[in-house]
Structure formats: C-alpha cells, structure tokens
Amino acid sequence: KAGVTQTPRYLIKTRGQQVTLSCSPISGHRSVSWYQQTPGQGLQFLFEYFSETQRNKGNFPGRFSGRQFSNSRSEMNVSTLELGDSALYLCASSPQTGSLGNSPLHFGNGTRLTVT
Amino acid sequence: GNSVTQMEGPVTLSEEAFLTINCTYTATGYPSLFWYVQYPGEGLQLLLKATKADDKGSNKGFEATYRKETTSFHLEKGSVQVSDSAVYFCALSDRGTASKLTFGTGTRLQVTL
C-alpha cells in the first residue's frame, strides 16, 4: 500500500504570495490532518478533514485554510505569506471514521516551505 | 489545555547502552499516548501507543507504560543501535479529537559506535 504522499517536497516563496500544498492519503483513509513543524514552536496541529468537512481546527490565523476532495485528497493554502510561515508542513491520514478512538496517524514526508 | 513535556536533548549514547527518554503530560480525561520517531528528511512514524492506564506499548525493542498516577509515558530501550539515531516525539490525543495530537518538543537521540 502506498503511503501518504505530499507534493511538492520543497517550495520557495516570497512574502505576500500564496501557496497551495497537496496531500494524497493512504488508500481507504478518510481522515486527513495537517501539522506545522518549526524549530521554535515544534509540531502544531493546523486542521483535520473528514468526508470533505473540517472536523477540528488548531489555533492558526485565517490565512491558513484547507479543503478535502471526494477522493479524500487534501490541499492546504496559505495566503499572504509571512517569514514566520517557513516550516515543514506535514500531512497525516488515518483510517478512523469517528472522532473517538485511537487509530494512529500515518504521516507523509512533508513539504518544506521557505518564505523569503 | 493539554501539554506534553519531554526531556531536553540531545541524548548521546554508545551502542548497546540503555535508553530512557522521559515524557510527562497534562490532560483532562483519559488521553491516548503515543511515541513517534522522525528520521532525517522524513515524516513521523508511529513507534508505539497506549490507550489506557497501565497499558504497555512496545515495538522494535522500545517500551513505554502509561502511568496515570504520575502522568508519565517514559520511553525505554534496553540496548540501542546506531540505527536508532533519530528524533523522538511523545504525543497525546483526547478521546474526542483523536487526530488532533499534542506533541512534546522532541528529543534527539544520537547513538555512536
């Protein structure tokens, strides 16, 4: 079974631009979550999508948004990029159907975004 | 809110040494607890998990026991290998938001020959 695939692996953008990152979950997984990893703040939860609906949201500004398609693939968008948005963005999928339970997350290798 | 505290790294050990990485947590209710590992240039991989008090998670020689009385989930391995060099993250999730993990800051482990 193919793992979680994130594209692109690397991105360089300029302040003020916007960016879209893509994530293809493991086949059959309907839950997709996004995390931001930085040296200063560590790993922080952005949001989770299930069946094309946002089910949970972290404490990030509205510039960070996402969506999920009917095939469970997900995208996240960051508008008006700031230098502090430079990070590794990780996508994770889970076979979990309900919000209860403890199915582990399967992470992709991430997209490294650099904002200059 | 929830929080996870891990021991500061880096931890440097010789091959075959005993490993302990401390992890304590603060959470309401009965969270599930996880250890994830991150190798250079890669995402996170689940190492082990425990879902209720006194559960012991184990995998690849690593173990951790869910201790509710001390709110801890310390990671141990009896004999580390060079290939265990990586960053280890302790994490928890609430029962109602299982995909929303709260992570510790991570502990870098370096194993030398």
Side-chain angles (χ1 to χ4, degrees):
Chain A
K1 222 178 202 182
V4 177
T5 304
Q6 292 188 245
T7 56
R9 283 299 306 271
Y10 302 93
L11 265 178
I12 300 176
K13 290 286 187 179
T14 304
R15 258 184 313 177
Q17 288 186 315
Q18 75 165 14
V19 68
T20 299
L21 312 182
S22 181
C23 172
S24 293
I26 291 173
S27 178
H29 287 194
R30 293 165 61 191
S31 167
V32 174
S33 305
W34 289 88
Y35 287 81
Q36 182 196 63
Q37 185 177 23
T38 61
Q41 300 297 317
L43 281 151
Q44 294 186 284
F45 173 79
L46 280 154
F47 28 64
E48 181 210 0
Y49 286 87
F50 179 80
S51 291
E52 302 178 65
T53 301
Q54 187 179 89
R55 188 158 68 176
N56 284 297
K57 189 176 187 309
N59 296 322
F60 279 80
R63 299 185 298 107
F64 292 81
S65 62
R67 59 177 176 168
Q68 186 180 33
F69 302 95
S70 58
N71 62 358
S72 294
R73 190 176 71 84
S74 178
E75 290 180 346
M76 69 163 280
N77 184 278
V78 188
S79 62
T80 320
L81 284 166
E82 301 177 358
L83 295 179
D85 297 333
S86 294
L88 180 67
Y89 289 89
L90 293 167
C91 169
S93 73
S94 167
Q96 183 161 283
T97 52
S99 59
L100 294 175
N102 49 57
S103 296
L105 301 185
H106 300 260
F107 284 84
N109 288 339
T111 293
R112 182 159 303 276
L113 171 65
T114 302
V115 182
T116 63
Chain B
N2 296 339
S3 67
V4 176
T5 302
Q6 283 182 243
M7 62 188 288
E8 292 281 332
V11 173
T12 303
L13 295 173
S14 299
E15 202 171 43
E16 299 183 3
F18 183 85
L19 168 71
T20 300
I21 300 178
N22 290 337
C23 171
T24 57
Y25 68 89
T26 301
T28 54
Y30 302 93
S32 294
L33 301 175
F34 305 86
W35 276 100
Y36 280 85
V37 59
Q38 187 175 33
Y39 297 100
E42 297 184 11
L44 280 72
Q45 300 175 25
L46 177 68
L47 185 58
L48 51 83
K49 69 173 185 178
T51 59
K52 60 183 187 298
D54 300 324
D55 263 4
K56 177 186 278 190
S58 61
N59 185 27
K60 300 180 182 179
F62 291 90
E63 292 183 340
T65 301
Y66 190 143
R67 301 285 188 202
K68 188 161 174 57
E69 64 276 12
T70 54
T71 61
S72 65
F73 193 54
H74 305 321
L75 182 68
E76 296 182 335
K77 187 176 185 183
S79 175
V80 294
Q81 305 299 312
V82 171
S83 58
D84 293 327
S85 298
V87 181
Y88 292 81
F89 292 90
C90 185
L92 68 81
S93 70
D94 284 334
R95 292 308 172 102
T97 54
S99 290
K100 184 178 179 182
L101 292 174
T102 299
F103 284 93
T105 52
T107 302
R108 182 175 300 278
L109 170 65
Q110 175 127 16
V111 181
T112 59
L113 289 171

